[in-house]
Amino acid sequence: MIKLILAIIAVESGGDPKAIGDGGDAFGILQIHSAYVQDAAEYAKADWTHEDAFDPETAVDIFQAYMERYCGDSRRPEGMSREEFISRTHNGGPRGAFKDATLRYWEKVRRHL
């Protein structure tokens, strides 16, 4: 999973923990939105705030909790790799792997793997 996380970081921020994107809505190395943090915190029973996404270690914890919540193997579409499923979910939300709009994102991540 480390290789995948590093690939997503490369696509999202180039590793800049102070990165802010999506018009000020996405924070940190993984460019995490507030709703994503809330989802992950609820699942992990953590008290994370959106600003915690600026801390790289916490951002990875948030990412992992979100993926545990939404990317169980039973939810993965048949024939889709785990890496693609996780990448597209990160980019498009809980149903992101099923959205055509996340295909280009997956191609970017795949090039970094």
Side-chain angles (χ1 to χ4, degrees):
M1 176 86 98
I2 292 293
K3 288 172 82 174
L4 177 59
I5 292 170
L6 292 174
I8 292 172
I9 289 169
V11 168
E12 291 289 358
S13 69
D16 180 2
K18 296 178 184 175
I20 298 176
D22 286 347
D25 293 335
F27 293 176
I29 60 171
L30 288 162
Q31 290 296 279
I32 296 174
H33 285 248
S34 180
Y36 187 124
V37 174
Q38 290 172 351
D39 262 359
E42 178 183 299
Y43 177 79
K45 297 180 179 27
D47 62 352
W48 297 317
T49 67
H50 194 202
E51 288 71 25
D52 289 325
F54 285 118
D55 175 69
E57 188 174 313
T58 305
V60 170
D61 290 343
I62 293 167
F63 172 88
Q64 289 177 320
Y66 192 85
M67 294 310 146
E68 285 176 20
R69 182 172 196 167
Y70 293 112
C71 288
D73 281 335
S74 65
R75 295 177 179 227
R76 182 167 30 119
E78 187 173 331
M80 183 180 288
S81 72
R82 186 169 182 257
E83 292 81 7
E84 180 178 356
F85 183 43
I86 289 170
S87 297
R88 292 176 68 185
T89 299
H90 175 71
N91 180 246
R95 305 252 335 127
F98 302 93
K99 298 176 184 176
D100 289 341
T102 62
L103 284 169
R104 284 183 54 198
Y105 180 81
W106 162 238
E107 289 303 318
K108 290 179 189 177
V109 172
R110 193 171 60 85
R111 284 193 292 271
H112 285 275
L113 286 173

